[in-house]
Amino acid sequence: MTAAHDYEDMHHLVDRLPPAGVRRLRLLVQADPELAKFVQPDEAEQARRRPSFIGLGASGRTDVSERHDELLREGLDRPL
């Protein structure tokens, strides 16, 4: 078998999978340390991983450390 044949077979396999199967295949690839570097997380997944207050230190806002409780609550949408 050649690499081109394997590549074509994988395309046909993915085309035949139902949406749930594609998601499961993606999770399996992401779990493999050698293959994970080739998979880019989708936008929804990236949004879930980064809370809005990440990077706040570079935002230009002052007194970040003094107001950390307030800023965390604001980022988590919880009342004071």
Side-chain angles (χ1 to χ4, degrees), residues 2-65:
T2 66
H5 185 72
D6 288 342
Y7 187 77
E8 188 175 323
D9 281 350
M10 285 302 297
H11 273 279
H12 289 297
L13 171 66
V14 172
D15 287 341
R16 290 190 306 263
L17 288 173
V22 173
R23 284 189 298 274
R24 185 170 180 191
L25 180 60
R26 181 183 181 93
L27 290 172
L28 290 169
V29 171
Q30 287 174 324
D32 185 308
E34 291 182 30
L35 299 175
K37 61 186 172 191
F38 299 107
V39 180
Q40 297 294 324
D42 60 20
E43 290 180 28
E45 187 176 335
Q46 285 181 335
R48 274 182 272 149
R49 290 183 179 178
R50 289 184 304 222
S52 61
F53 55 86
I54 297 298
L56 189 62
S59 70
R61 292 171 79 175
T62 59
D63 298 329
V64 174
S65 62

Side-chain angles (χ1 to χ4, degrees), residues 51-77:
S52 61
F53 55 86
I54 297 298
L56 189 62
S59 70
R61 292 171 79 175
T62 59
D63 298 329
V64 174
S65 62
E66 292 177 10
R67 299 175 43 229
H68 71 277
D69 287 332
E70 175 188 339
L71 294 170
L72 286 172
R73 283 189 191 101
E74 179 183 305
L76 297 171
D77 291 327

